[in-house]
Amino acid sequence: MSEFELGALGWSPELASALEPGLSPGRVIAAHRAAYDVAAGDAGVVRTRLPGRLAHFDTLDVAVGDWVGMSDGLIRCVLPRRSALVRSAAGRTSDAQTLAANVDVVFVVSSLGPDLEPRRLERYLVTVWESGASPEIVLTKADRFDEAAVDEMVASVEAVAPGVPVWVVSAVTGDGVDDLRARVGVGCTAVLVGSSGVGKSTLVNRWLGREAMAVNDVREDDDEGRHTTSHRELLLLPGGGVVIDTPGIRELQLSDAAASGALEETFSDVEELAAACRFHDCAHGTEPGCAVRAALADGSLPGDRYASWQKLQRELRAIALRTDARLRREERRKWQQRAKDGRARARHR
């Protein structure tokens, strides 16, 4: 099976029906600064770009995993996505970056040990639930700890990820690696996300049976891997299934696509408690019959998890306000331009 066969990469009759006549299909397998590598069937992998007009005005969002329509060697359109993993650009902005598209499962990868931060995992889960894909957590480097320590860390992860599958693997011993690989079946696209050095590329290389993605040895001072992957890349696994490797993410900013529904999925335990409060608009302060405050008091709801829920709520509200302000500015500029064009036409009559 050639890695350039579109059927092996997930091409379907539904996608074919969305392709405009005269365009040839392809799937984006890598994104560079101003160019894209696209698997284009019999043509193999082609290096392409957007037409000047689309590139200049930034009107077409293209990401690794996208299905595109091409002609004359250029990308003309992006076919409808079934999912999109999106984050905001760093800083006080509502600009968004699509990390991967048309993904079925997102493996949130963290190494056991110092990198294991529940608050970071919660942030990832909000982003993944909003993407339309299913989140699963992968804990790597299990060989560095005894069974009791691993069990304790897994329990801490399960406490912040209700209902989310948790995998424990070791690239050194191979434990769990094949079971995780089997999760990515024929027709499935998975993406690995997480901090630098947690072992994403090492997992991909083991699945491929070759050193396709560059990796470095761990640092001696903290036993963590060093950042190597510099771009997102889509790869076909032997036997079927597609995986996208990504560079390490230092800080994951929620995007304006993130909504309350994703927060509810991530914090389903807190949301269930809030729904049990006597008053539907309970602020979980001094109101009588507050189930959230009662759970905090008896310890069944950890205070740091509740604080994280509140923090992400505030962050989503702030993002919504920035987005609304941006939309208002864009609408105002549009009407100002229309008025200017109208005055120009009047002068030329």
Side-chain angles (χ1 to χ4, degrees):
M1 178 172 55
S2 169
E3 62 180 316
F4 307 137
E5 291 178 2
L6 298 186
L9 296 176
W11 184 247
S12 67
E14 290 77 15
L15 288 166
S17 66
L19 185 67
E20 296 179 8
L23 298 181
S24 59
R27 193 169 193 191
V28 179
I29 63 172
H32 308 284
R33 182 175 298 274
Y36 304 91
D37 292 337
V38 176
D42 293 338
V45 174
V46 298
R47 177 66 59 89
T48 183
R49 59 180 175 82
L50 296 174
R53 175 177 54 85
L54 294 179
H56 178 74
F57 291 102
D58 197 25
T59 57
L60 193 62
D61 177 31
V62 182
V64 173
D66 267 325
W67 287 98
V68 297
M70 298 185 297
S71 68
D72 300 323
L74 299 176
I75 295 174
R76 304 294 177 175
C77 69
V78 174
L79 301 187
R81 295 166 170 168
R82 67 174 184 273
S83 66
L85 188 66
V86 180
R87 70 165 179 174
S88 266
R92 298 178 63 85
T93 174
S94 57
D95 293 339
Q97 178 189 31
T98 303
L99 301 177
N102 299 306
V103 171
D104 300 292
V105 59
V106 179
F107 291 133
V108 179
V109 185
S110 176
S111 57
L112 292 163
D115 186 68
L116 191 58
E117 297 180 8
R119 306 288 79 82
R120 181 191 297 162
L121 291 177
E122 289 166 343
R123 182 174 291 271
Y124 271 107
L125 290 175
V126 171
T127 299
V128 177
W129 280 122
E130 186 58 34
S131 74
S134 298
E136 302 191 11
I137 295 173
V138 178
L139 304 177
T140 63
K141 307 184 183 181
D143 55 279
R144 300 188 302 176
F145 302 93
D146 60 35
E147 186 177 348
V150 170
D151 289 345
E152 183 178 351
M153 285 184 277
V154 169
S156 71
V157 169
E158 292 176 337
V160 302
V164 176
V166 178
W167 303 82
V168 179
V169 303
S170 167
V172 173
T173 66
D175 289 345
V177 173
D178 290 341
D179 290 338
L180 183 61
R181 161 65 185 94
R183 174 65 181 86
V184 190
V186 176
C188 177
T189 297
V191 61
L192 289 83
V193 298
S195 303
S196 299
V198 296
K200 301 186 298 296
S201 296
T202 300
L203 277 174
V204 171
N205 286 338
R206 285 195 66 119
W207 292 343
L208 291 169
R210 57 187 173 88
E211 295 294 314
M213 306 302 293
V215 295
N216 280 333
D217 295 332
V218 297
R219 296 187 298 257
E220 294 183 0
D221 56 346
D222 60 3
D223 203 28
E224 292 296 313
R226 291 172 293 180
H227 172 74
T228 303
T229 303
S230 59
H231 66 285
R232 289 174 284 279
E233 185 170 349
L234 181 151
L235 299 149
L236 179 66
L237 297 175
V242 172
V243 64
I244 299 173
D245 192 17
T246 65
I249 299 174
R250 292 187 179 88
E251 182 181 4
L252 182 65
Q253 300 281 346
L254 301 183
S255 77
D256 57 6
S260 59
L263 197 67
E264 292 169 3
E265 290 279 5
T266 304
F267 291 88
S268 58
D269 53 340
V270 184
E271 296 287 344
E272 288 176 6
L273 287 170
C277 291
R278 181 182 302 176
F279 302 107
H280 74 277
D281 59 348
C282 182
H284 318 304
T286 60
E287 296 88 344
C290 176
V292 171
R293 203 167 65 252
L296 289 168
D298 66 23
S300 57
L301 174 61
D304 53 358
R305 180 157 172 80
Y306 175 64
S308 179
W309 178 65
Q310 290 181 308
K311 178 182 179 181
L312 292 176
Q313 278 186 322
R314 292 193 297 269
E315 188 169 333
L316 288 177
R317 282 196 293 268
I319 290 171
L321 289 174
R322 289 201 302 270
T323 302
D324 288 346
R326 183 195 64 189
L327 293 175
R328 287 195 297 271
R329 289 194 299 270
E330 290 177 351
E331 189 71 10
R332 185 165 57 249
R333 284 196 296 268
K334 180 177 68 176
W335 284 107
Q336 288 173 342
Q337 185 61 47
R338 286 183 179 179
K340 181 179 178 181
D341 293 343
R343 289 194 296 270
R345 286 193 297 271
R347 285 195 299 268
H348 288 87
R349 285 175 180 171

